[in-house]
Amino acid sequence: MSKPPLAAYPHLRPRRLRQAEWVRRMVRETQPTPADLIWSMVVHDGKEAEIPVASMLGAPRFSVARAAEAAKEARALGIPAIAVFPFIDGEKKDSRGTAGTDPDGLVCRAVKAMKDAAPEVGIMCDVALDPFTDHGHDGLLEHGRILNDPTIERLVEQSIIQAKAGADILAPSDMMDGRVGAMRKALEAEGLQDTMIMAYAAKYASAFYGPYRDAIGSAKALSGDKKTYQMDPGNSEEALREVAMDIAEGADMVMVKPGMPYLDILRRVVDAFALPTFAFQVSGEYAMLMAAARNGWLEEERAILESLSAFKRAGAAGVITYFAPRAAKIWGA
Ligand code: PBG
C-alpha cells in the first residue's frame, strides 16, 4: 500500500508536477525502453524477403535471409531478443506435426541464420505443434481430444532440436500440463542446462490470436477451438496456479498472454512471484491498433507507445510485440 497524501488541496496540487515536459520526465514512474522489447516475427521458407499479411499491416512474414538482417537491425536498435514463429506450407503439415521436430526445418534454419548474423541477440522459439499440424492444434489430436502426455513427448523433441540449433530461450505456448518439467529434465540430460525457459504460463483461449493464425497459416487448418487446454478468460485465481506450477517445474521466466486485456493478471502475477514476468501483446491487439490508426481514428505512434507504457506500469519485465522495431525507432528518433 502506498502512503496517503500528506496534504490536501490547495497545498497539494498534483498539476504542479505536470506543468512542463522536463518535470513530467523527472517524476515519471515507469518508461519502456528498447531493452524491454522482444520482437515477435513470423518467418517463411520462400525466397521473397517479405510477404505481407493482410490482417497484420506492417508486420510481414520474413524469409530466413531477411530474418537474419532483422537480427542485425535488432542489435542496432538495442532490442535484446527476437521471438520466431514459422509459416509452414500446407503440404508439410500432418497430424503429428512432424515438421516441428525436423532439425533441418524452417525454425532451426532461421535460428542458425539469425545467431550467425547477430550472436548478441537472444533468440526465442515457440514450443508447440500448431504451425505444423494439419488440424491446427498445439498438441496431438485423437477422437476430438488433445492428448496431454503424448504431446509432451513431441514438445520435448522439439525443444531439444531448437536448443541445439542455438535457441537461447524456449517458450512453450501449448498449455499442456507438465511440459515445463519434462523440457527442463530433458535439457539437463542433454547438457543444455543454460537454455532458458519462458513459460506461457497464463495463456488464455482468446479471440485476439486471429491475425496470428492467418500469419502462420493455421487459421484455415484449425478444427474447433483451444478451450480444453488454454485458459478460460473469466479466470484469475487459476492463472496463479498455472504460474506456480511452471515455476516449480523449472521456468526461468513466465508470460501472460494476451497482453492489454489481461493487465490485471499480469499485475497479480508480478505481485505474487519474484520472477521476470512478460506480457505478449498479441496479433489481435496489434491489428486493432493498426486498423484504427490507418483509418485515422487513433494517433498511431502515440497509441503504440502508450500501449507499451501500460505493460511496464503493470509491472512487466518486458513485452513480446510486433511493434518492437517501430517503437525502438520512434524512441531513437
Ligand atoms: C500457438 C501460439 C499462438 C500464438 C503464439 N503461439 C496462437 C494460438 O494459441 O492459437 C499467438 C500469437 C499472437 O496472436 O500474436 N502455440
Side-chain angles (χ1 to χ4, degrees):
M1 284 289 282
S2 54
K3 291 182 184 137
L6 299 173
Y9 171 85
H11 303 293
L12 196 65
R13 289 181 183 265
R15 288 186 53 195
R16 278 190 210 113
L17 299 183
R18 296 178 204 141
Q19 61 184 289
E21 178 58 16
W22 67 265
V23 65
R24 289 192 293 271
R25 278 209 299 139
M26 194 175 82
V27 302
R28 190 165 292 143
E29 296 171 34
T30 57
Q31 168 81 61
T33 71
D36 296 309
L37 307 178
I38 298 177
W39 181 353
S40 184
M41 183 186 296
V42 175
V43 295
H44 73 91
D45 218 350
K47 289 268 175 285
E48 243 172 305
E50 300 187 4
I51 299 180
V53 178
S55 53
M56 294 287 285
L57 289 167
R61 295 177 195 135
F62 284 175
S63 67
V64 170
R66 175 69 184 85
E69 284 309 304
K72 292 184 197 164
E73 239 173 281
R75 179 174 59 194
L77 290 166
I79 296 169
I82 295 175
V84 56
F85 300 91
F87 171 90
I88 301 295
D89 296 328
E91 71 265 20
K92 292 209 178 118
K93 299 187 187 193
D94 61 21
S95 66
R96 292 182 50 79
T98 306
T101 46
D102 177 0
D104 302 314
L106 173 59
V107 171
C108 290
R109 278 183 283 117
V111 170
K112 283 179 192 144
M114 287 192 275
K115 290 305 293 188
D116 281 349
E120 307 85 349
V121 174
I123 301 295
M124 174 158 126
C125 281
D126 197 56
V127 177
L129 298 179
D130 59 306
F132 313 98
T133 53
D134 53 14
H135 45 69
H137 281 288
D138 295 32
L140 301 174
L141 182 66
E142 196 176 275
H143 307 306
R145 292 174 62 87
I146 301 299
L147 305 177
N148 195 86
D149 299 5
T151 296
I152 290 180
E153 289 177 29
R154 302 278 301 124
L155 299 175
V156 164
E157 276 182 67
Q158 188 182 27
S159 301
I160 298 301
I161 62 145
Q162 290 175 348
K164 285 186 174 164
D168 303 288
I169 307 174
L170 301 178
S173 69
D174 57 289
M175 290 299 279
M176 296 302 118
D177 296 329
R179 86 286 202 214
V180 172
M183 284 166 57
R184 179 56 79 207
K185 194 170 151 218
L187 289 169
E188 287 289 325
E190 293 278 342
L192 295 163
Q193 61 274 5
D194 288 337
T195 304
M196 294 164 246
I197 298 178
M198 182 190 293
Y200 284 68
K203 173 170 176 178
Y204 288 83
S206 172
F208 293 102
Y209 308 145
Y212 169 86
R213 292 177 192 166
D214 276 344
I216 69 154
S218 71
K220 275 193 214 85
L222 185 63
S223 57
D225 57 48
K226 300 190 176 183
K227 292 179 185 170
T228 69
Y229 45 107
Q230 299 178 348
M231 285 177 56
D232 188 299
N235 294 355
S236 177
E237 301 298 325
E238 186 189 7
L240 300 186
R241 290 200 295 279
E242 282 282 5
V243 171
M245 282 178 74
D246 286 354
I247 294 173
E249 290 176 27
D252 304 288
M253 302 171 268
V254 293
M255 189 204 299
V256 173
K257 180 184 175 195
M260 274 218 288
Y262 293 84
L263 289 180
D264 59 319
I265 306 297
L266 175 65
R267 172 46 78 185
R268 285 196 76 182
V269 170
V270 168
D271 286 344
F273 302 96
L275 204 77
T277 304
F278 290 76
F280 198 143
Q281 183 176 46
V282 300
S283 58
E285 301 174 59
Y286 177 88
M288 285 196 299
L289 286 170
M290 289 302 286
R294 293 297 156 97
N295 274 297
W297 299 333
L298 287 177
E299 274 181 59
E300 190 165 314
E301 292 194 350
R302 278 188 67 197
I304 292 171
L305 299 189
E306 187 176 331
S307 73
L308 297 174
S309 281
F311 295 111
K312 286 305 282 184
R313 194 185 61 240
V319 190
I320 297 106
T321 176
Y322 301 91
F323 286 124
R326 184 77 192 281
K329 279 177 204 153
I330 299 170
W331 289 323

